[in-house]
Amino acid sequence: MFNAGVYDVIVIGAGHAGCEAALAAARMGCCTLLATISLDNIALMPCNPAVGGPAKGHLVREIDALGGEMGINTDKCRIQIRMLNTGKGPAVHALRAQADKKAYQARMKSVLENQAKLEVKQMMVEKILIQDGKVTGIQSETGAVYETKAVVLASGTYLQGRVIVGDTFYTGGPNGQRAALRLSESLREAGISLVRFKTGTPARIDKNSVDFSKMTLQPGDEEPVNFSFLSPLEKKPQLSCWLTYTNEHTHDVIRRNLHRSPLFTGQIQGTGPRYCPSIEDKVVRFPEKTSHQVFVEPEGWDTSEMYVQGMSTSLPEDVQVAFLRTIPGLEEVKVMRPGYAIEYDCVVPTQLKLSLESKGVAGLFTAGQANGTSGYEEAAAQGLMAGINASLLVQNREPLILSRSEAYIGVLIDDLVTKGTNEPYRMMTSRAEYRLLLRQDNADLRLTQKGYEIGLVSQERYEKFSAKREIIVREITRLKNTVIGPTKEVLEKLSSLGTAGIRSGLSLAELLRRPDVTYQLLSVYFPDFPEISPEAAEQVEIDIKYEGYIMKQIQQVERFNKMEQKKIPSALDYGKIQGLSKEAQQKLSSVRPASLGQAARISGVSPADISILLVYLEQYSHRRETT
């Protein structure tokens, strides 16, 4: 062994979690090391090179609002972008972009390499060094030791990674990379419990062998839109995606080969993602369905590889070719890379604090698929928060904890830490209780102030954000105070707007609340409207149209916060609280919730248990005050 350097923060893994963690730590002033198995696979997109979608798009906007990189990188490298769910309310609108996978990697690698206070090194980390319950460093396979005060483990699917295609299996990570075979044992030695999960990916096919005339075109949006609040709005050339469907012939090929599927022969032991099942799993679980959607999506400007979304599989390669060729448009398809499943170790997330720091090992943070999640966006969000909190720990500052009422990131982390997960976790809008407040369009208004206060948001970004916030407040006030009367000119304008007339004075804000009236229409028909950005105009319109619903959610949040503010001592002995059920005692002792609100969200803890705990805490507080 030899001492190779000393750092404030070390990040293990350079996937989407590791990139955000390392950038956050360095930008907050910490001397940071990013250790990766391969410098050539930084920010790798081993599954679909797409970013965003329902709830995931919210996460990307929140990452951006806090000063992260994923949104900016996607805007720079996208080949298509679409706003989903536009027929529904603003709470579930979601951006989704297809990225050029190689450009995404290349730009992120460049950003990392040129970031001040950040070093990027290729190495295989084999051990996390711990002394007296605290992280002291890491050790690589060559014997190099790097000292540190905090480690962020963002190992993705590489811990004891095992790739499976039919009856072929071998140790390895995604895209033929090496697996981390010894790091799991180091974690177990530190008393950290691990679980075995599984994920998978479909085949990549040659676009030159696809007949697109038999598929439905899925173009991007014509109007420019971005993930990052900093990116300029500009039209860019886009590539199209394509929609086709499986059929009974496809399903028949799969059914006839289930005896060769490692998913059903017992070869795969890990638990897979329920919300992204393999095609063989879908055929078995939903026998009544005669077809499933298949999206054929480009992977970049300069590659013929296309991703077959909806067809994740671990069936043998010959079966993959056979079932793909039953699908309209893919009759002559050529497979460039077969689909595969991959099993890997991950940390049981209930062992973590809300800061993503280990409860048992001070200074050890974990993020991304290492915490049992799926998806680039979930990984990047955790990586950002782990990097932030590792830096704050080193700087002797309080951690940044986002609550469920403040961000989808807060929902994601609270779900993992409080409830745990028995399968790869996926973020969905239905998991958030306050969706109308946690929209993707207002992520900067919710979080940029916090990012600025911890030192991650730049002065330039903060000044731009502050100006936008002031414009929105000023314009909402103006609309509420501007009253129009039932004059002939006004009535003619309302008729031209296609909305009903008025009999008495009405503010422009009240007029904007009408379903058939938009801010853009008002600005055309009424004078003295200021020139404001489309993003600011969107905020003004949503805030006014949904004001009543927003106020109701704010009241719900106030009640929620009362429970969150009732803190629970970290060393509380739940076994001594009379009346708590045995299950509640066990679950509370295991999770060790920080507040009464968090305790109420633990599976197995009943409302009756919470009432007993509340009484006990009040008595506990009274005893401390009188002693």
Side-chain angles (χ1 to χ4, degrees):
M1 293 192 300
F2 64 98
N3 192 306
V6 179
Y7 299 86
D8 294 321
V9 176
I10 294 178
V11 179
I12 302 173
H16 303 281
C19 290
E20 295 292 351
L23 286 171
R27 289 168 177 173
M28 290 175 66
C30 290
C31 182
T32 306
L33 170 65
L34 176 59
T36 175
I37 293 174
S38 170
L39 287 172
D40 298 323
N41 289 292
I42 287 172
L44 179 69
M45 292 179 145
C47 204
N48 191 357
V51 174
K56 292 170 176 281
H58 292 67
L59 289 175
V60 180
R61 279 281 179 89
E62 291 178 353
I63 291 166
D64 182 73
L66 285 166
E69 194 66 27
M70 176 174 263
I72 296 172
N73 209 50
T74 303
D75 290 341
K76 295 282 187 182
C77 306
R78 73 183 187 227
I79 56 180
Q80 188 194 89
I81 192 161
R82 298 177 68 189
M83 184 71 78
L84 308 180
N85 298 332
T86 53
K88 300 178 182 179
V92 293
H93 289 178
L95 268 182
R96 182 184 187 274
Q98 199 75 10
D100 183 310
K101 65 179 181 181
K102 289 299 181 184
Y104 189 99
Q105 285 183 256
R107 184 187 177 278
M108 187 66 84
K109 184 172 185 282
S110 176
V111 169
L112 290 162
E113 290 174 344
N114 289 285
Q115 174 61 51
K117 289 187 171 291
L118 175 60
E119 291 183 38
V120 185
K121 293 181 182 289
Q122 180 170 300
M123 70 178 78
M124 174 67 75
V125 177
E126 292 197 336
K127 192 169 186 179
I128 296 173
L129 304 177
I130 300 166
Q131 187 173 350
D132 298 326
K134 294 181 180 179
V135 162
T136 59
I138 62 169
Q139 180 180 322
S140 76
E141 67 180 346
T142 62
V145 171
Y146 298 85
E147 296 179 34
T148 188
K149 300 172 185 176
V151 166
V152 177
L153 177 67
S155 53
T157 61
Y158 291 84
L159 291 182
Q160 290 285 338
R162 181 170 176 263
V163 177
I164 306 162
V165 183
D167 56 4
T168 301
F169 56 92
Y170 54 89
T171 58
N175 279 26
Q177 294 189 79
R178 298 175 66 193
L181 300 179
R182 297 185 180 178
L183 193 51
S184 290
E185 188 56 37
S186 174
L187 293 170
R188 289 192 181 93
E189 288 174 358
I192 295 171
S193 298
L194 304 179
V195 67
R196 195 81 170 156
F197 277 177
K198 164 257 176 187
T199 188
T201 189
R204 306 307 196 275
I205 60 175
D206 185 348
K207 72 177 181 182
N208 298 308
S209 66
V210 178
D211 184 354
F212 295 109
S213 67
K214 296 181 180 180
M215 300 180 179
T216 304
L217 180 70
Q218 301 283 299
D221 288 347
E222 291 186 8
E223 292 300 316
V225 64
N226 295 317
F227 274 111
S228 176
F229 293 97
L230 290 182
S231 298
L233 285 173
E234 55 186 359
K235 286 193 175 183
K236 295 181 178 181
Q238 300 188 71
L239 291 175
S240 292
C241 297
W242 303 83
L243 173 64
T244 184
Y245 293 87
T246 65
N247 52 61
E248 281 296 351
H249 295 297
T250 316
H251 302 173
D252 184 56
V253 171
I254 292 169
R255 290 189 189 101
R256 285 189 283 107
N257 286 279
L258 287 177
H259 66 286
R260 302 178 64 193
S261 167
L263 189 64
F264 296 100
T265 61
Q267 182 63 247
I268 292 176
Q269 300 294 320
T271 304
R274 187 193 328 173
Y275 301 103
C276 188
S278 65
I279 183 60
E280 55 265 39
D281 198 18
K282 286 191 280 190
V283 168
V284 170
R285 287 169 54 189
F286 308 107
E288 73 283 358
K289 296 203 70 170
T290 57
S291 66
H292 295 279
Q293 285 185 328
V294 179
F295 289 94
V296 179
E297 301 174 328
E299 295 211 330
W301 289 105
D302 302 315
T303 179
S304 294
E305 283 188 85
M306 300 195 80
Y307 183 91
V308 191
Q309 184 182 328
M311 300 298 285
S312 175
T313 185
S314 58
L315 281 161
E317 187 173 357
D318 61 301
V319 180
Q320 294 185 36
V321 173
F323 70 59
L324 285 172
R325 288 182 174 175
T326 66
I327 297 171
L330 303 182
E331 292 87 352
E332 303 296 327
V333 76
K334 294 180 180 178
V335 172
M336 298 178 73
R337 307 189 201 207
Y340 61 87
I342 182 167
E343 289 186 321
Y344 55 96
D345 290 343
C346 53
V347 172
V348 176
T350 52
Q351 299 168 102
L352 306 175
K353 302 176 184 177
L354 288 166
S355 63
L356 295 180
E357 184 184 15
S358 168
K359 294 173 183 175
V361 181
L364 175 60
F365 296 78
T366 60
Q369 284 186 277
N371 283 344
T373 59
S374 65
Y376 309 144
E377 304 84 357
E378 289 92 338
Q382 293 172 73
L384 178 70
M385 297 305 295
I388 287 171
N389 285 323
S391 302
L392 293 173
L393 177 73
V394 168
Q395 296 165 355
N396 295 313
R397 298 162 66 189
E398 288 297 310
L400 175 64
I401 308 296
L402 298 177
S403 75
R404 301 181 71 90
S405 62
E406 292 177 313
Y408 269 79
I409 294 176
V411 175
L412 164 66
I413 293 175
D414 184 69
D415 277 354
L416 290 172
V417 172
T418 305
K419 303 175 184 177
T421 182
N422 55 12
E423 63 186 38
Y425 178 99
R426 178 180 180 180
M427 192 72 243
M428 296 180 290
T429 54
S430 60
R431 297 189 190 274
E433 299 92 334
Y434 310 109
R435 291 189 292 276
L436 190 53
L437 299 181
L438 307 184
R439 307 184 309 275
Q440 63 163 13
D441 57 81
N442 69 356
D444 58 338
L445 299 175
R446 292 184 278 116
L447 299 174
T448 298
Q449 182 72 41
K450 293 179 181 292
Y452 181 70
E453 289 169 357
I454 62 171
L456 185 54
V457 166
S458 67
Q459 188 66 34
E460 176 191 1
R461 176 190 280 264
Y462 184 70
E463 289 174 359
K464 184 176 180 179
F465 154 73
S466 297
K468 174 184 173 182
R469 181 172 56 183
E470 290 171 9
I471 288 169
I472 292 168
V473 172
R474 187 165 59 244
E475 182 59 2
I476 290 175
T477 302
R478 188 188 73 83
L479 292 175
K480 288 184 175 181
N481 292 335
T482 303
V483 179
I484 56 174
T487 65
K488 180 181 179 181
E489 181 185 5
V490 167
L491 292 175
E492 287 176 353
K493 288 181 178 180
L494 295 178
S495 178
S496 299
L497 278 168
T499 189
I502 58 175
R503 294 183 179 181
S504 59
L506 189 74
S507 73
L508 289 180
E510 290 173 302
L511 186 59
L512 184 54
R513 289 194 182 99
R514 294 183 176 184
D516 49 359
V517 177
T518 65
Y519 182 87
Q520 183 182 10
L521 283 173
L522 285 182
S523 67
V524 170
Y525 284 92
F526 290 90
D528 302 324
F529 264 69
E531 288 189 14
I532 65 176
S533 68
E535 296 92 340
E538 180 184 31
Q539 286 302 302
V540 170
E541 183 168 330
I542 291 173
D543 282 355
I544 287 177
K545 281 187 178 292
Y546 293 89
E547 184 177 31
Y549 298 103
I550 290 172
M551 290 305 298
K552 286 182 180 179
Q553 286 225 327
I554 289 173
Q555 291 169 0
Q556 292 171 356
V557 168
E558 289 172 352
R559 292 193 292 270
F560 166 82
N561 286 339
K562 287 181 181 178
M563 292 284 281
E564 297 302 304
Q565 289 164 6
K566 294 185 183 298
K567 300 302 180 182
I568 300 176
S570 59
L572 190 65
D573 186 349
Y574 294 98
K576 293 182 178 179
I577 303 178
Q578 294 183 354
L580 281 182
S581 67
K582 288 294 182 183
E583 182 179 9
Q585 289 178 348
Q586 293 170 357
K587 295 288 182 67
L588 290 165
S589 298
S590 173
V591 176
R592 306 216 70 81
S595 69
L596 198 64
Q598 187 185 2
R601 294 189 294 276
I602 298 173
S603 175
V605 178
S606 69
D609 293 319
I610 294 300
S611 296
I612 292 168
L613 184 56
L614 175 60
V615 172
Y616 183 88
L617 289 174
E618 290 175 347
Q619 294 172 344
Y620 178 88
S621 178
H622 179 71
R623 285 197 299 270
R624 292 195 63 183
E625 290 174 359
T626 56
T627 56

